[in-house]
């Protein structure tokens, strides 16, 4: 049986601020050596050259090194999944997952939060967007499920990943070895890396059969209902965090999930909160949450039809502001209006992550 989980959301007050993590450790809430993973939003542009992710990564790893006893190599293997871009009202923050001593956690036979992490094998640049990457990610997800003590894929409610995208250097590396790449547009490769990873998650959880190359990033009927995938320049393999529930593990927290059918689907967020064990009235209000909601984790995508609920929008035609930033700000506002808190995790590029034009939603609740 894995150890129970403590999970806390902390603000990030500046680009290199990790003081919230340091306080949790100094106050005895978390043990630095028991931190399993961090999932956070940084304030950069969310693009290929968003170096706020690297700055946050360094700051948080320095705290883990300074406050703990793990070696630099051990700390380097802790998944820190940073999603860049806090457009609109979104606020930079991090959600920290750590194990705790079972003797210090409430006992319960009810499903309670369990987290497993894994690092996949290296993903070569020529494999991004192709079946080989699907297979590599699927193997990593199965490893993370095992670490979480989860046998039934139905008990998985959230899989957060960070994978490499293509850069000029990695494109040239592939070419130097006689290989082509799926695209030479580095920004487009972010979306493709995310979507391919999502299919790997779906395969691991039995949601779909392994897809052919022709269906990757094209057949929008294929998706995972629990995948949340980000990509960046700071790694060469998949960092995988599997979040689910296990009976008997104990602790105060529980995970749930749902999907947003489109960018305005607040009910999809409420469904995820209910799935996490929070009792709500038929027409809930943020005040009904109290302090029970730790965080929600949402993927979003501009609808390829160019409309939402029958009304035309110009996100996909706008040459001034990329649609990544527009849809993120939109869904961030919807999510914040539900939770009453702008520090929510909203990430863009959601192909194969929930229904087309919508996205996955995971929620973690503190059941006390």
């Amino acid at each position: 049986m894995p150890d129970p989980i403590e999970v806390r959301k902390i603000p990030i007050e500046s680009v290199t601020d990790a003081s919230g993590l340091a306080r949790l450790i100094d106050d005895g809430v978390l043990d630095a050596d028991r931190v399993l993973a961090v999932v956070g939003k940084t304030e950069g542009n969310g693009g290929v050259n968003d170096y706020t992710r690297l700055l946050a990564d360094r700051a948080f790893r320095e705290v883990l090194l300074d406050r703990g006893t793990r070696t630099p190599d051990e700390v380097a293997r802790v998944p820190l999944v940073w999603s860049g871009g806090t457009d609109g009202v979104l606020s930079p923050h991090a959600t920290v997952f750590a194990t705790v001593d079972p003797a210090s956690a409430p006992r319960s036979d009810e499903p309670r939060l369990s987290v497993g992490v894994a690092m996949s094998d290296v993903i070569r640049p020529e494999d991004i967007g192709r079946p080989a990457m699907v297979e590599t990610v699927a193997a990593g997800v199965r490893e993370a499920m095992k670490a979480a003590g989860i046998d039934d894929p139905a008990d998985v409610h959230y899989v957060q990943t960070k994978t490499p995208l293509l850069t000029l250097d990695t494109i040239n590396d592939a070419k130097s070895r006689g290989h082509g790449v799926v695209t030479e547009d580095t920004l487009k490769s972010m979306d493709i890396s995310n979507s391919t990873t999502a299919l790997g998650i779906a395969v691991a959880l039995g949601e779909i059969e392994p897809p052919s190359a022709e269906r990757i990033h094209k057949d929008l009927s294929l998706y995972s209902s629990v995948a949340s995938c980000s990509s960046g320049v700071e790694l060469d393999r998949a960092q995988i965090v599997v979040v689910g529930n296990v009976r008997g593990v104990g602790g105060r927290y529980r995970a749930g999930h749902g999907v947003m059918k489109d960018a305005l689907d607040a009910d999809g967020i409420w469904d995820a909160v209910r799935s996490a064990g929070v009792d709500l009235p038929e027409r809930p209000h943020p005040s009904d949450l109290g302090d029970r909601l730790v965080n929600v984790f949402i993927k979003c995508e501009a609808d390829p039809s160019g409309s939402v609920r029958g009304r035309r929008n110009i996100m996909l035609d706008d040459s001034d502001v990329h649609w990544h930033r527009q849809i993120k700000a939109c869904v961030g506002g919807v999510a914040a209006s539900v939770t009453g808190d702008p520090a929510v995790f909203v990430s863009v590029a959601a192909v194969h992550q929930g229904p087309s034009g919508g996205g996955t939603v995971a929620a973690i609740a503190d059941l006390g």
Side-chain angles (χ1 to χ4, degrees):
M1 182 69 69
D3 286 343
I5 298 295
E6 181 67 38
V7 55
R8 295 294 179 99
K9 181 169 68 176
I10 53 176
I12 297 177
E13 302 293 356
S14 65
V15 177
T16 58
D17 175 43
S19 61
L21 174 61
R23 280 193 299 272
L24 288 175
I25 296 168
D26 293 345
D27 292 345
V29 177
L30 304 178
D31 182 328
D33 291 339
R34 282 181 170 268
V35 172
L36 285 176
V38 177
V39 178
K41 291 293 301 182
T42 65
E43 62 199 73
N45 60 25
V48 175
N49 65 334
D50 183 352
Y51 298 109
T52 64
R53 298 184 299 236
L54 293 170
L55 294 170
D57 194 272
R58 176 180 293 180
F60 274 67
R61 292 191 195 277
E62 286 176 350
V63 169
L64 294 179
L65 279 170
D66 181 63
R67 300 298 203 278
T69 63
R70 287 188 281 196
T71 67
D73 284 345
E74 289 170 331
V75 168
R77 290 195 291 270
V78 177
L80 304 188
V81 181
W82 300 106
S83 171
T86 47
D87 301 275
V89 299
L90 290 173
S91 182
H93 70 281
T95 304
V96 184
F97 299 87
T99 61
V100 295
D101 184 342
S104 68
R107 297 183 180 276
S108 175
D109 292 327
E110 293 297 311
R112 289 294 182 265
L113 189 71
S114 187
V115 177
V117 302
M119 296 285 281
S120 78
D121 290 340
V122 170
I123 297 171
R124 295 171 298 183
E126 61 266 28
D127 291 338
I128 292 174
R130 292 171 173 156
M133 183 177 181
V134 174
E135 294 169 7
T136 299
V137 170
V141 171
R142 295 186 188 105
E143 182 182 343
M145 285 177 62
K146 185 177 180 180
I150 298 174
D151 299 318
D152 187 348
D155 292 327
V156 175
H157 294 280
Y158 172 41
V159 182
Q160 179 65 58
T161 62
K162 192 64 178 281
T163 51
L165 48 74
L166 291 170
T167 65
L168 182 60
D169 284 344
T170 58
I171 291 169
N172 288 336
D173 171 61
K175 288 180 177 180
S176 73
R177 293 180 287 106
H179 297 286
V181 292
V182 70
T183 180
E184 295 193 17
D185 182 330
T186 57
L187 183 58
K188 185 178 180 181
S189 79
M190 175 184 292
D191 294 10
I192 293 173
S193 179
N194 291 355
S195 62
T196 311
T197 302
L199 293 177
I201 294 167
V203 167
L205 300 180
E207 295 177 286
I208 64 170
E209 294 297 320
S212 64
E214 294 74 23
R215 302 181 76 185
I216 297 173
H217 202 70
K218 295 181 177 67
D219 185 347
L220 301 184
S221 69
L222 301 178
Y223 65 84
S224 169
S225 60
V226 299
S228 176
C229 306
S230 293
S231 52
V233 299
E234 63 267 38
L235 71 176
D236 62 359
R237 60 193 71 209
Q239 293 181 338
I240 300 165
V241 182
V242 166
V243 178
N245 297 318
V246 172
R247 289 187 180 275
V249 70
R252 296 169 18 214
Y253 303 96
R254 183 169 172 175
H257 77 275
V259 297
M260 292 181 73
K261 297 175 183 177
D262 61 31
L264 301 179
D265 186 16
D267 287 339
I269 304 174
W270 288 118
D271 288 344
V273 175
R274 287 190 176 95
S275 174
V278 178
D279 291 328
L280 295 168
E282 183 178 353
R283 298 188 64 183
H285 183 270
S287 60
D288 297 316
L289 293 170
D291 58 0
R292 293 177 292 175
L293 183 65
V294 178
N295 208 358
V296 293
F297 306 84
I298 300 172
K299 289 298 294 188
C300 60
E301 183 82 5
D303 195 308
S305 72
S307 66
V308 174
R309 301 193 183 184
R311 296 291 191 179
R312 184 174 71 92
N313 62 71
I314 52 85
M315 281 187 284
L316 296 175
D317 288 328
D318 194 333
S319 299
D320 296 315
V321 180
H322 196 275
W323 66 264
H324 276 196
R325 309 197 73 164
Q326 297 190 44
I327 192 64
K328 195 185 307 177
C330 168
V331 174
V334 172
S337 72
V338 167
T339 65
D341 182 0
V344 287
F345 185 91
V346 178
S347 174
V348 75
V351 171
H352 301 317
Q353 298 153 75
S356 180
T360 57
V361 186
I364 296 176
D366 183 347
L367 301 184

